[in-house]
Amino acid sequence: MVVVMMDHLAPALLEACVVIGASADKLQEVYQAKNNNLAAEHLLLEPEVLYVLSPPFVNRPQTESEAVRSLWKRRRSILRRKREQPPSATASSCQGGEAKEYEGSEDVSVPKDIDLMALPQLCFPGGLQVTSEQRDEEFHFLVFTDVFGNKTHGVVMQCYRPILEGASLYQNGAGSSKFSNLFCAYSFCVISQYPYFTALKDCLSCLLIQLRTCRLSDMEDRVKEFAAKLTLVPIPPPGQLHLMFTLHPLTIILPPQEDKDHPAIDLDLHLPFLCFRPHQLLQVMSCLLQEQRVVLFSANWARLTLVAESLLLFLMPLSWQHPYVPVLSRGMLDFLMAPTAFLMGCHLSHFEEVASETDDLILINIDKGSVSTSNSDTLDVPDIPGAAADCFTQRCQSVQMHFDLDQCCHASCSDINEQRTQRRVWQRNLNHEIQRITLELIVNVFRDVSSHLNYEHRVFNSEEFLKTRQPDEQLFYKKVLETHIFHSFLKDRLNRKMDNYARMELSTRSEMQNTTEKCNFYCALSRMKAKIEVSHRPISQEIQAHGRSSVSESRLNKSLPNLRDDQTVNFHRNTPLTRIIMSEFALKIPSTPVKMLRLPDFPASLSFHCVQSYYNELVQQLGKAIFSVQNQNSALLARFYYLRGFINTLCSRRLDALSDFQKLYKTDADIFPTQLVTCLVDSLHQDERQQVEKRPELQRLILKVKTESEQPLVHHDDRVKKFVLPTQQMPQDEFVRCVLECGIVKDVATIHRLFDALADGQKIDPKLFADFYNVWKEMAAEAQDVHLPSEVIDHLENSEYVCKLSSRVKTSHGVGKIVMTQRRLFLLIEGQPGYLEITNFRDIQEVKIALAPFLLVRIPSLRIQTSGRLKAFEANLKTETELWNLVIKEMWAGRKMADQHKDPQYMTQALTNVLLMDAVMRCLQTQRSIINASKLAYFDKIRHEVSMIVHETTSDTLKHKINPSLDLAEPQTVHVLLYTPGQLNCSDSEGGMSPKLWVALSGGKVVVFDAASWCMMQGSLQIGRSQVNCMLGVVQEQVWVGSQDSVIYIIDSRSMSCNKQLTEHRHEVTGLAVDTRDIHNSLQGFSCSCDGTILQWDAASLKVKRQFHLQCDRLSSIQIHDGTMWCCCGESIVELKKDGSSQRKLSLPDDPQSMPCGFSSFIIIPEQGQLWTGCANSGELCLWDTNNQRCLSKIVSLPGSSGVTCMIRVKKQIWVGCHRQSDVGGQCNSQLRSHVLVVDSEAHTVTKELQAHSDTIQALCSAEDRYVLSGSAYRDGKIAIWKVE
């Protein structure tokens, strides 16, 4: 089990150190050739593995030999060497594949992914050469990739040593041996799982100082000591904690990974910018995005890997999926014949050979900064879209790439480590800036991809995406969309991965919208230069994507206005400007401050006890670091726990390691090493298990780990699907799935009506569906081609577009074409460039089909009566009359519903219905087509069936409605609402915190709105898999979420990530509260679970300060008032003392006929001594005197209510969410299942009755006592925003 555990340990810096050179036999032959006056210099020898050094380097006491020795036996031993055996025998045994065992041999293990057969060639890619003069040392870098894409990295140092007369490498070197005038190279290759190219190069440079002065006979011991020290260096966990250690004479830094999905960056990312101009660099990135066969060339072996690694980092989050060999030796050039895409590197001397013998290669000369193909000197590969490329070029021109220019005004450093520190800080800042520039490029190229994704069915609508691209961009995107690299990128987007790409796209989305005015200015200039402008209908994905941001300009401090005409659907014309313009702040966000942890000095001796002392010193140092940041920096605290747990595991202090990992889990679950902890638990001895039983926090951790390990492995569907037309008849369920996949409509209820319209109650034939699908696409294409005169466009709003265009018809104002936008109808009069408005939809008084006399017959015509106009508009639409009648009535009804209910989604839905009606009519083309199409006229139908009149009180109080289920196929229940305050005029990306509305939906989904504009900020966060019961803003950057799965999840409101969990509760968490009155100025949080357990938390350290238990059937909520706690316990309300004992208890009467079964909610008004309670099955509020809890003070009747679901206090009012009473016959009005009642807490009377939801109100919350928000169950699923007077 310990062997398995070590498989999951975070590796040390060094995996293995391999020394490669010529065997003693070969060197002897060279020396003899020299003595015989034969040309020995410049002779190429076959490099061989001389010896491999890898852990373990420290032998432990025999008492723990079996358990501890296994700790490092995680790789197969593939090389056994007798210490006195010649190197040639060693190398030959390795290359033969089977190692002979010699008496007295020792195990030497190397990483299982390293091929010792190929390593000598890679360490000497140009061959091992014998020279007649001493040469300078050279470094180059290697990357080994296995079949699963896992990478191992190597740094190689070549140095030349003189060949001794008559002495081998392992002989003593004393006596008569003397130097010849021949020199042979040795390679020292340090192998690591992590890409620490700069750090390992520095380490080898320190080794070089020792090798220059040591004898050949001492070389192995020096290298072994060097390797052993590097195995003591742990790898920093993902985050901002850098590790620092000293290897004389240099101080070396190990930077961490930014997160688990990004590699550590320890190289100079500006090297490609020094080698290529921005245009050529864009060409290279375009070739990689299109998965071409790319070969890098340079006369410097080191540049190949450094430039290749930088290029792949520039593509993040897209990940290269094909063969990657940045250094090819001269014997590996056949790899370039591979038919698949690849990225490889060769020496510049092979350029002509490769270009002439291999076709269709992209040849990149790093030294000249040129890009060509093997067929010609020019590059015939589609370029990156021009707008994104121009933005990238401008960014590059503003970056300072030269350290000397940046430092020329500063004083010279007298200390080498100080100079290295200055350079390192400069390089880190430059790398950060380059990463943001290249990430911005990727975001600009793929920004609109998310608008064409169907998350629920994992479909990417590539055809619709391509239609939105500019003509000169089409070929580039067609090639990229077929690549593996893009397919992997789509998987991450469909999984809603919150990486740097998603964060930048999200943070700049609002900035893109704020550039509308600037874009409109440019559009106005273009109208002056051209006579026509395209105003097209957006595709359905755009309607759904942009509908959420329809009121982005309104702010809380301006008071949300009533719904205006420009709030219906707001999205902008698809121009390159609106797609790529980004503000500077997106690139100027400072990087997270770096924290350094200096490791102890390496022990003078590498004996077991010295190494243990080294680890003990490191543990003590980490303990001091933990104490210093205990209540200040939770992210840094988690990294310290991680490192200390890892070191304790190495030292076999298993209980201490478990304790550290338990604290880590509470602090940052994102870096919790689940597999390591699982194996650690399994390796516990019996006495250790007995000690665990005495420590509840460890028991909870072990229970969690065991529970997760015993759960069956669920393979989630991570495919990316392309929509395929059906081939068989479809029942309704299959039709719904098909429509959702193709992205025509998202709303399931609308799809059901579409099914009735097409199928007429039967299954839908696949040919009929194909006809409908093609008609829908044709309609979208036709709308794209509508050209309006510039005089007409001047009268339209910026977000208006053409939805429907009639044929040439005769009207009461002349002959022309009727145009419908989402706001109005207007007429394009034939032969006149002018604009004639027919009506706005909200101004319509009547729409009907009239019979107009013509000669001896009466012809049906469409008549529209508009308020404020005496004469009606009439049009002879011939066969289109009935359809236009349906369409206009539906838009009119949708407009009225949107205005009355302050809900712009009604208008969006009405527009969708209209487009579907038009498509059904074109598709069916039968006499019954209009009857079938009328089944989609939903709002016009309910306008006649249900009264649309909204009570005046409701209309005056209701400000707006928002839909948290906008991205979902069906409405979800709003279980919990939470408002967190912030700065109105500040975005999160600018360093401040904007006010937010947190909405908990079914299944653990949490949706977040910007409460300054009521725009949905991003897709839903998944908080566990169970229902959320409560939420609480504890500190500015934390939101605590209590779940039915007994866990309290902590969301970082700045990064919008959930990586902390509190698992002390054993049953579902039902309530959260906070007490800010602590005299020590530390925020105290409280949580309760349904079994009556109440925990008091220190919000800073996330530690339980107190725990007590309340005897009750079910504890449903808690509140803190004036330092005392009130608990809702079903049939009683209990006030607790500070020690958790009951102080006062208010109970329902024993007579079951007189009172309802239990309390559902309560409110405390301590300054008035009042306690208000409500019950789920009673239409009354009960007022109690907190000083006399034996009897009721007053009962306030709630008119029309049958029960209370929730209530809150706002100023001097109590807002109550209620069930409505059933109508005669026991049925409740389907449109009004609940209402909000406003009660005056002083007069004890109901002052307002508000009706806005068609299902039960589940949650209420207040936004700074200026607005109240109510959320309802799934039949309605919306949130109403009410004004507080």
Side-chain angles (χ1 to χ4, degrees):
M1 181 55 66
V2 180
V3 178
V4 178
M5 178 176 69
M6 297 311 297
D7 283 333
H8 305 297
L9 268 178
L13 176 60
L14 180 133
E15 293 288 303
C17 182
V18 184
V19 180
I20 296 173
S23 67
D25 293 341
K26 294 293 183 182
L27 294 179
Q28 188 68 27
E29 293 176 6
V30 171
Y31 181 73
Q32 292 175 358
K34 174 67 175 178
N35 287 339
N36 295 331
N37 295 322
L38 298 177
E41 60 269 21
H42 307 298
L43 178 67
L44 288 177
L45 301 180
E46 186 70 25
E48 299 178 1
V49 175
L50 301 182
Y51 46 85
V52 180
L53 299 171
S54 62
F57 294 104
V58 180
N59 294 321
R60 300 194 180 220
Q62 190 65 30
T63 54
E64 292 191 27
S65 59
E66 293 300 325
V68 177
R69 194 176 299 156
S70 300
L71 291 178
W72 290 97
K73 297 290 187 178
R74 61 187 185 277
R75 299 183 180 87
R76 57 189 177 92
S77 178
I78 65 172
L79 188 66
R80 291 176 180 268
R81 176 181 55 76
K82 189 175 180 180
R83 197 175 274 278
E84 297 300 326
Q85 187 188 350
S88 58
T90 304
S92 62
S93 67
C94 168
Q95 294 179 15
E98 292 292 337
K100 297 181 181 180
E101 296 191 19
Y102 297 91
E103 184 179 354
S105 65
E106 58 178 292
D107 289 344
V108 181
S109 301
V110 298
K112 59 186 178 183
D113 299 325
I114 300 304
D115 182 6
L116 288 182
M117 296 289 290
L119 188 60
Q121 296 185 62
L122 295 174
C123 289
F124 288 99
L128 194 162
Q129 195 173 41
V130 176
T131 65
S132 58
E133 60 182 10
Q134 182 84 27
R135 291 186 178 180
D136 293 336
E137 297 78 13
E138 292 184 356
F139 291 81
H140 68 275
F141 310 94
L142 304 175
V143 179
F144 314 97
T145 310
D146 65 15
V147 293
F148 301 106
N150 301 312
K151 293 181 180 179
T152 305
H153 307 82
V155 179
V156 180
M157 178 180 68
Q158 289 184 16
C159 61
Y160 284 80
R161 298 296 300 260
I163 299 176
L164 291 177
E165 294 184 23
S168 72
L169 178 64
Y170 291 102
Q171 288 176 340
N172 217 329
S176 61
S177 297
K178 62 180 180 179
F179 290 104
S180 69
N181 58 352
L182 294 181
F183 297 85
C184 182
Y186 294 92
S187 279
F188 301 84
C189 180
V190 176
I191 298 172
S192 175
Q193 287 189 14
Y194 287 78
Y196 287 116
F197 297 114
T198 301
L200 291 176
K201 179 184 175 182
D202 290 344
C203 292
L204 284 171
S205 299
C206 296
L207 173 65
L208 178 62
I209 298 174
Q210 300 183 43
L211 295 179
R212 284 173 176 168
T213 59
C214 78
R215 297 181 301 177
L216 284 176
S217 58
D218 297 331
M219 184 190 301
E220 181 182 2
D221 291 336
R222 295 291 179 89
V223 176
K224 183 175 181 179
E225 180 185 357
F226 163 81
K229 288 180 178 179
L230 294 190
T231 58
L232 300 180
V233 179
I235 297 297
Q240 291 298 320
L241 178 62
H242 295 232
L243 296 186
M244 176 190 304
F245 63 95
T246 299
L247 196 63
H248 185 77
L250 298 180
T251 298
I252 299 169
I253 303 295
L254 293 186
Q257 299 172 254
E258 183 179 350
D259 54 53
K260 293 190 298 184
D261 299 317
H262 288 75
I265 298 178
D266 189 34
L267 73 165
D268 299 344
L269 290 182
H270 69 292
L271 291 182
F273 291 87
L274 300 179
C275 299
F276 302 97
R277 294 188 300 274
H279 176 68
Q280 280 69 36
L281 193 54
L282 286 167
Q283 286 182 322
V284 176
M285 295 183 68
S286 177
C287 293
L288 294 175
L289 287 173
Q290 297 172 61
E291 292 186 347
Q292 301 289 326
R293 301 162 69 213
V294 179
V295 186
L296 304 176
F297 292 91
S298 176
N300 186 316
W301 293 107
R303 290 180 194 164
L304 292 173
T305 300
L306 295 178
V307 170
E309 285 287 296
S310 298
L311 291 174
L312 296 187
L313 288 171
F314 294 166
L315 298 180
M316 297 291 286
L318 286 86
S319 177
W320 184 253
Q321 305 287 312
H322 292 279
Y324 171 53
V325 187
V327 173
L328 286 177
S329 67
R330 64 174 62 193
M332 297 179 176
L333 295 182
D334 289 346
F335 287 11
L336 300 178
M337 305 298 293
T340 184
F342 56 71
L343 174 60
M344 299 187 187
C346 295
H347 196 271
L348 186 60
S349 60
H350 304 302
F351 187 93
E352 297 298 333
E353 177 186 356
V354 172
S356 61
E357 296 186 4
T358 312
D359 296 330
D360 300 324
L361 293 183
I362 305 299
L363 309 179
I364 300 174
N365 189 330
I366 296 175
D367 299 344
K368 289 186 176 180
S370 64
V371 183
S372 60
T373 67
S374 55
N375 301 324
S376 66
D377 293 336
T378 60
L379 184 65
D380 187 20
V381 175
D383 291 331
I384 284 178
D390 292 343
C391 181
F392 175 79
T393 302
Q394 293 174 10
R395 300 292 196 204
C396 293
Q397 293 171 351
S398 64
V399 179
Q400 174 57 263
M401 299 284 184
H402 300 278
F403 176 72
D404 290 339
L405 289 177
D406 191 66
Q407 296 292 314
C408 60
C409 61
H410 299 287
S412 299
C413 294
S414 58
D415 180 77
I416 184 174
N417 281 319
E418 181 183 351
Q419 184 179 20
R420 283 164 51 82
T421 300
Q422 289 184 2
R423 172 60 190 249
R424 189 163 46 242
V425 172
W426 176 86
Q427 189 65 58
R428 184 168 58 243
N429 293 333
L430 179 59
N431 284 356
H432 179 78
E433 189 170 4
I434 289 174
Q435 285 180 277
R436 287 196 169 275
I437 290 174
T438 55
L439 179 60
E440 181 195 29
L441 173 67
I442 300 299
V443 170
N444 284 337
V445 171
F446 298 110
R447 175 180 296 280
D448 295 335
V449 165
S450 59
S451 300
H452 299 81
L453 293 176
N454 185 321
Y455 293 94
E456 184 177 3
H457 293 85
R458 303 190 64 82
V459 174
F460 172 60
N461 198 326
S462 57
E463 292 183 7
E464 293 299 328
F465 174 77
L466 286 174
K467 287 179 181 178
T468 63
R469 305 299 94 193
Q470 299 296 320
D472 59 342
E473 303 171 356
Q474 293 277 338
L475 184 57
F476 170 82
Y477 282 107
K478 284 180 181 178
K479 290 191 174 184
V480 171
L481 264 56
E482 297 299 324
T483 61
H484 292 83
I485 191 173
F486 181 74
H487 186 81
S488 177
F489 170 77
L490 280 182
K491 287 183 179 180
D492 289 338
R493 298 316 110 200
L494 288 169
N495 293 334
R496 299 183 185 273
K497 185 176 182 178
M498 186 49 62
D499 53 13
N500 286 338
Y501 174 94
R503 280 187 282 269
M504 177 174 280
E505 196 277 333
L506 182 66
S507 66
T508 56
R509 186 182 299 165
S510 59
E511 289 298 308
M512 297 289 292
Q513 295 168 356
N514 290 340
T515 59
T516 304
E517 294 182 2
K518 184 185 297 185
C519 295
N520 293 337
F521 171 74
Y522 287 111
C523 291
L525 290 179
S526 64
R527 290 175 194 165
M528 295 171 63
K529 298 176 182 178
K531 293 298 183 182
I532 61 172
E533 176 73 40
V534 178
S535 179
H536 64 270
R537 188 191 94 203
I539 57 178
S540 57
Q541 287 87 347
E542 287 177 321
I543 295 176
Q544 295 160 1
H546 293 279
R548 73 185 66 174
S549 58
S550 56
V551 288
S552 59
E553 297 303 320
S554 56
R555 294 278 174 174
L556 272 176
N557 59 341
K558 296 180 181 178
S559 180
L560 284 173
N562 289 330
L563 189 68
R564 300 191 308 272
D565 212 21
D566 60 352
Q567 290 179 311
T568 307
V569 183
N570 182 25
F571 50 100
H572 316 299
R573 292 181 173 85
N574 193 11
T575 66
L577 282 171
T578 59
R579 290 210 308 275
I580 62 98
I581 287 181
M582 295 174 64
S583 65
E584 293 290 337
F585 85 85
L587 299 177
K588 291 184 178 179
I589 301 174
S591 58
T592 307
V594 168
K595 175 66 178 179
M596 294 288 180
L597 175 67
R598 178 180 285 276
L599 301 180
D601 292 335
F602 292 116
S605 169
L606 292 175
S607 65
F608 172 76
H609 295 293
C610 291
V611 170
Q612 286 295 104
S613 298
Y614 170 84
Y615 283 143
N616 290 336
E617 184 179 353
L618 179 53
V619 168
Q620 292 175 5
Q621 189 172 328
L622 287 168
K624 294 178 181 178
I626 288 171
F627 179 79
S628 66
V629 298
Q630 189 76 47
N631 298 325
Q632 300 175 7
N633 190 330
S634 62
L636 192 58
L637 180 65
R639 273 70 196 167
F640 290 147
Y641 281 137
Y642 179 98
L643 284 174
R644 195 171 70 175
F646 171 55
I647 299 301
N648 279 326
T649 302
L650 286 178
C651 297
S652 298
R653 294 193 283 262
R654 287 175 281 269
L655 291 184
D656 291 341
L658 282 177
S659 178
D660 286 327
F661 289 134
Q662 185 268 337
K663 295 171 183 175
L664 167 65
Y665 184 78
K666 287 177 55 177
T667 312
D668 191 345
D670 195 41
I671 61 172
F672 181 76
T674 302
Q675 292 179 315
L676 171 60
V677 175
T678 301
C679 296
L680 193 61
V681 169
D682 293 337
S683 68
L684 292 176
H685 297 163
Q686 184 61 36
D687 58 330
E688 292 172 328
R689 294 183 182 276
Q690 293 175 355
Q691 295 181 52
V692 166
E693 293 177 357
K694 302 176 183 178
R695 301 174 64 176
E697 73 280 3
L698 294 187
Q699 285 183 309
R700 287 191 291 268
L701 178 68
I702 292 175
L703 177 62
K704 176 200 173 297
V705 169
K706 287 291 186 183
T707 303
E708 289 186 357
S709 63
E710 293 171 359
Q711 290 179 349
L713 184 62
V714 179
H715 296 282
H716 298 285
D717 184 9
D718 63 347
R719 296 174 298 168
V720 179
K721 305 175 187 175
K722 286 188 176 180
F723 174 68
V724 179
L725 289 171
T727 58
Q728 298 179 345
Q729 289 194 338
M730 293 182 292
Q732 187 179 71
D733 291 345
E734 183 66 19
F735 177 78
V736 170
R737 183 196 62 79
C738 198
V739 173
L740 287 172
E741 282 191 4
C742 68
I744 294 177
V745 187
K746 271 190 175 181
D747 181 62
V748 172
T750 302
I751 299 175
H752 287 165
R753 292 192 289 270
L754 178 60
F755 178 83
D756 293 337
L758 289 175
D760 206 12
Q762 305 297 322
K763 292 183 178 181
I764 291 183
D765 185 79
K767 184 179 182 304
L768 176 61
F769 183 84
D771 292 342
F772 173 79
Y773 180 78
N774 292 330
V775 165
W776 181 265
K777 299 303 177 186
E778 290 170 3
M779 289 169 55
E782 291 172 4
Q784 300 277 340
D785 295 332
V786 174
H787 293 264
L788 298 178
S790 58
E791 295 87 350
V792 174
I793 293 181
D794 291 337
H795 290 82
L796 302 181
E797 301 291 337
N798 293 323
S799 58
E800 267 189 280
Y801 52 89
V802 174
C803 303
K804 184 171 175 58
L805 182 69
S806 76
S807 58
R808 178 175 175 271
V809 296
K810 182 179 180 180
T811 73
S812 56
H813 293 271
V815 177
K817 294 182 179 180
I818 299 176
V819 182
M820 185 184 79
T821 72
Q822 76 273 34
R823 290 181 173 86
R824 74 189 85 204
L825 296 169
F826 61 88
L827 181 65
L828 295 178
I829 302 176
E830 191 174 79
Q832 299 181 18
Y835 166 87
L836 177 64
E837 181 171 303
I838 299 172
T839 185
N840 277 308
F841 290 118
R842 66 157 44 98
D843 297 331
I844 295 177
Q845 286 186 332
E846 183 183 32
V847 178
K848 67 178 181 179
I849 297 177
L851 296 176
F854 180 74
L855 298 178
L856 299 178
V857 297
R858 301 179 70 84
I859 300 175
S861 64
L862 184 67
R863 178 176 295 174
I864 304 173
Q865 184 65 54
T866 303
S867 60
R869 297 182 186 177
L870 297 177
K871 188 176 181 181
F873 173 85
E874 289 195 39
N876 181 8
L877 288 157
K878 303 175 184 176
T879 57
E880 298 180 70
T881 302
E882 290 183 314
L883 176 61
W884 275 91
N885 179 54
L886 270 180
V887 163
I888 295 173
K889 285 184 175 180
E890 181 70 5
M891 294 293 286
W892 175 29
R895 178 76 270 167
K896 292 188 68 175
M897 291 280 288
D899 285 349
Q900 293 176 355
H901 293 271
K902 312 292 177 66
D903 188 350
Q905 194 186 6
Y906 284 124
M907 198 62 196
T908 305
Q909 183 62 53
L911 175 59
T912 301
N913 295 341
V914 164
L915 299 177
L916 291 174
M917 280 189 265
D918 198 358
V920 168
M921 284 290 292
R922 296 194 192 190
C923 174
L924 296 179
Q925 294 183 347
T926 64
Q927 293 182 349
R928 291 180 51 84
S929 296
I930 192 64
I931 299 176
N932 291 52
S934 65
K935 296 179 181 180
L936 291 160
Y938 174 72
F939 291 110
D940 186 49
K941 180 181 179 182
I942 65 173
R943 183 172 67 92
H944 291 91
E945 293 181 354
V946 180
S947 174
M948 296 175 60
I949 298 176
V950 177
H951 194 276
E952 182 179 358
T953 303
T954 298
S955 180
D956 292 342
T957 309
L958 180 64
K959 299 302 297 179
H960 194 60
K961 292 182 78 174
I962 55 179
N963 182 12
S965 304
L966 189 63
D967 285 336
L968 305 175
E970 295 181 293
Q972 301 286 310
T973 296
V974 178
H975 290 284
V976 187
L977 292 171
L978 171 69
Y979 172 85
T980 55
Q983 303 174 26
L984 290 174
N985 297 315
C986 180
S987 66
D988 294 353
S989 55
E990 293 173 323
M993 295 291 292
S994 62
K996 294 181 177 67
L997 174 66
W998 305 76
V999 185
L1001 304 178
S1002 302
K1005 291 185 177 65
V1006 175
V1007 175
V1008 186
F1009 286 84
D1010 180 350
S1013 62
W1014 304 121
C1015 300
M1016 191 181 296
M1017 296 184 62
Q1018 65 177 50
S1020 59
L1021 299 169
Q1022 190 63 49
I1023 310 299
R1025 295 294 173 184
S1026 302
Q1027 179 179 311
V1028 171
N1029 286 335
C1030 49
M1031 292 193 294
L1032 178 68
V1034 178
V1035 292
Q1036 187 179 19
E1037 296 184 4
Q1038 284 188 5
V1039 171
W1040 290 22
V1041 181
S1043 173
Q1044 285 187 352
D1045 62 9
S1046 78
V1047 177
I1048 299 174
Y1049 298 90
I1050 300 179
I1051 302 175
D1052 186 323
S1053 56
R1054 188 176 296 278
S1055 65
M1056 303 302 291
S1057 60
C1058 178
N1059 55 10
K1060 298 180 183 179
Q1061 299 179 16
L1062 306 179
T1063 58
E1064 276 71 6
H1065 282 287
R1066 304 270 64 82
H1067 297 80
E1068 66 172 293
V1069 180
T1070 55
L1072 295 167
V1074 65
D1075 183 9
T1076 58
R1077 299 183 51 185
D1078 191 273
I1079 58 174
H1080 301 294
N1081 199 27
S1082 61
L1083 197 61
Q1084 304 297 318
F1086 293 84
S1087 62
C1088 69
S1089 52
C1090 62
D1091 65 330
T1093 299
I1094 300 175
L1095 301 180
Q1096 180 183 352
W1097 302 87
D1098 182 280
S1101 63
L1102 302 181
K1103 292 183 177 179
V1104 177
K1105 300 188 66 175
R1106 285 195 304 164
Q1107 175 178 344
F1108 40 91
H1109 187 81
L1110 187 62
Q1111 294 292 334
C1112 61
D1113 293 334
R1114 178 179 175 83
L1115 178 56
S1116 60
S1117 63
I1118 56 175
Q1119 295 182 23
I1120 306 293
H1121 293 281
D1122 293 337
T1124 60
M1125 178 180 297
W1126 295 78
C1127 308
C1128 183
C1129 303
E1131 295 184 355
S1132 62
I1133 304 293
V1134 180
E1135 182 184 8
L1136 299 181
K1137 299 179 182 178
K1138 285 189 176 289
D1139 60 359
S1141 61
S1142 177
Q1143 179 168 308
R1144 285 182 286 183
K1145 183 175 182 180
L1146 182 151
S1147 302
L1148 291 171
D1150 296 333
D1151 183 6
Q1153 301 297 324
S1154 60
M1155 290 297 292
C1157 60
F1159 298 112
S1160 61
S1161 53
F1162 71 99
I1163 289 176
I1164 299 290
I1165 307 180
E1167 64 272 17
Q1168 299 179 15
Q1170 294 180 353
L1171 169 64
W1172 295 76
T1173 62
C1175 301
N1177 59 344
S1178 172
E1180 298 173 333
L1181 284 185
C1182 298
L1183 176 58
W1184 308 74
D1185 186 346
T1186 57
N1187 297 316
N1188 182 12
Q1189 66 273 25
R1190 294 182 178 275
C1191 59
L1192 284 172
S1193 296
K1194 191 169 186 178
I1195 295 179
V1196 178
S1197 178
L1198 303 177
S1201 301
S1202 61
V1204 175
T1205 56
C1206 51
M1207 55 184 183
I1208 61 171
R1209 180 193 180 194
V1210 183
K1211 296 181 178 178
K1212 296 182 179 180
Q1213 301 172 346
I1214 296 176
W1215 291 59
V1216 187
C1218 305
H1219 297 286
R1220 286 187 61 86
Q1221 290 179 344
S1222 300
D1223 296 333
V1224 179
Q1227 298 297 320
C1228 181
N1229 186 333
S1230 61
Q1231 295 299 315
L1232 298 172
R1233 297 178 182 272
S1234 62
H1235 57 182
V1236 177
L1237 299 179
V1238 182
V1239 179
D1240 188 316
S1241 62
E1242 295 180 344
H1244 305 162
T1245 58
V1246 176
T1247 59
K1248 287 184 180 180
E1249 179 180 355
L1250 309 175
Q1251 301 173 350
H1253 295 288
S1254 57
D1255 205 347
T1256 306
I1257 295 173
Q1258 298 290 315
L1260 291 169
C1261 81
S1262 169
E1264 301 179 4
D1265 284 353
R1266 300 182 61 205
Y1267 297 91
V1268 168
L1269 298 96
S1270 59
S1272 65
Y1274 68 93
R1275 291 187 184 89
D1276 180 81
K1278 294 184 179 180
I1279 298 170
I1281 304 171
W1282 308 92
K1283 178 178 64 176
V1284 176
E1285 295 178 352

